[in-house]
Amino acid sequence: MNWIEALILGLLQGLTEFLPVSSSGHLELGKALLGVDAENNLAFTVIVHGATVLSTIIVFRKDIISLLKDVFHFKWNESTQYLFKIAVSMIPIGIVGVFFKDEVSALFDNNGILLLVGCMLLVTATLLGFTYYAKQKDKEISFKDALIIGLAQTFAILPGISRSGATIATGLLLGNKKADIAKFSFLMVLVPIIGENILSLASGEFTSHGNIEVTPLIVGFFAAFISGLLACSWMIKLVKKGKLIYFAIYCLIIGVIAIFAA
């Protein structure tokens, strides 16, 4: 992987991690178009995911600091409940990560990856399209809602299913407030991504796959970080305005192209 390929893939990761168009799907499409060997670039994947985590922390730094301050009062207050809801939302993806990790990895190592990405992008388009017709409500995110949103996130392990798209769309269909569900969607993924990266480092997989140079890693990191900052802030505004239908159309078009290109 050279620095130009790293730049393109880093930008793809940063933008699509937050926009409801599937970062994993676009990374697979990008790797296929650029001819990049995915199996030899685990280090790059870990680096760009770390960059998007950092961008999320920066965008929501005030909310995170406020939540942590309130939690250390050791009372069953609003912030404590919010963090428990995030914990509840992580249960489904945690189960899949512990018991079905190999099966998930196998999804990305087959020759029919483009066809799978295309089909799953059509699913993402359909889900986003449903939000256009959903009746808007302003209810708070409950523990039950958090679990259902967590289940939606689990389906996003499939390349082409957008994590942000699945979780935000599910929250909107449940009647949650637009601003609340956008923030919840982005905060709930922090621990799973950090945990996944730590496990990759601890297992030694990070150093056992490929010999990628330092320069592409640095370029990819900053590309994903800067584009992630912009996309995260932009996505919050788009959810508030209810303009997810445009991403549904985009996913539909890219999905069809991927299917015919498979």
Side-chain angles (χ1 to χ4, degrees):
M1 178 186 294
N2 57 45
W3 72 268
I4 296 178
E5 293 169 338
L7 176 64
I8 295 172
L9 293 177
L11 289 173
L12 270 177
Q13 168 63 29
L15 289 172
T16 58
E17 178 66 36
F18 300 103
L19 300 180
V21 294
S22 177
S23 61
S24 60
H26 275 72
L27 277 180
E28 292 303 324
L29 292 174
K31 289 173 182 177
L33 290 172
L34 295 172
V36 175
D37 185 358
E39 292 183 2
N40 291 325
N41 287 287
L42 180 62
F44 182 81
T45 301
V46 172
I47 287 293
V48 294
H49 274 90
T52 52
V53 166
L54 183 58
S55 63
T56 305
I57 292 173
I58 290 178
V59 171
F60 291 104
R61 62 189 181 281
K62 293 181 180 179
D63 297 283
I64 294 173
I65 292 172
S66 177
L67 285 170
L68 294 177
K69 282 182 178 179
D70 288 347
V71 165
F72 285 110
H73 289 155
F74 299 104
K75 295 181 180 179
W76 189 243
N77 53 36
E78 186 176 340
S79 295
T80 305
Q81 293 179 43
Y82 192 86
L83 288 179
F84 266 88
K85 289 173 184 176
I86 288 179
V88 167
S89 75
M90 293 189 298
I91 293 175
I93 195 67
I95 293 174
V96 172
V98 171
F99 296 105
F100 303 100
K101 182 179 180 181
D102 292 338
E103 287 80 0
V104 172
S105 298
L107 293 173
F108 294 84
D109 296 331
N110 65 81
N111 295 327
I113 185 66
L114 283 183
L115 179 61
L116 177 61
V117 168
C119 292
M120 292 304 102
L121 279 171
L122 296 185
V123 174
T124 296
T126 302
L127 186 59
L128 293 173
F130 282 151
T131 65
Y132 184 75
Y133 301 99
K135 293 182 179 179
Q136 298 301 315
K137 300 178 182 178
D138 290 316
K139 75 174 211 176
E140 301 290 335
I141 299 172
S142 65
F143 282 95
K144 179 182 178 181
D145 292 341
L147 181 60
I148 295 174
I149 294 168
L151 287 170
Q153 176 179 234
T154 304
F155 285 101
I157 61 174
L158 296 170
I161 299 290
S162 167
R163 189 206 62 80
S164 63
T167 53
I168 291 174
T170 300
L172 292 175
L173 292 172
L174 289 170
N176 299 135
K177 294 179 180 178
K178 293 179 180 179
D180 289 352
I181 191 58
K183 182 173 76 172
F184 189 82
S185 172
F186 294 144
L187 291 180
M188 67 184 281
V189 76
L190 289 179
V191 174
I193 291 181
I194 293 173
E196 182 182 355
N197 284 1
I198 290 175
L199 288 175
S200 296
L201 292 171
S203 66
E205 294 180 57
F206 186 86
T207 56
S208 63
H209 287 67
N211 297 306
I212 188 170
E213 297 179 358
V214 175
T215 300
L217 290 178
I218 295 175
V219 171
F221 176 86
F222 281 104
F225 173 67
I226 295 172
S227 60
L229 281 176
L230 297 174
C232 186
S233 301
W234 186 32
M235 188 59 192
I236 296 171
K237 296 177 181 177
L238 289 174
V239 173
K240 290 179 179 178
K241 295 179 179 178
K243 294 187 176 182
L244 299 184
I245 189 63
Y246 299 113
F247 293 104
I249 297 171
Y250 172 82
C251 288
L252 175 63
I253 295 172
I254 300 299
V256 170
I257 292 174
I259 290 173
F260 278 101

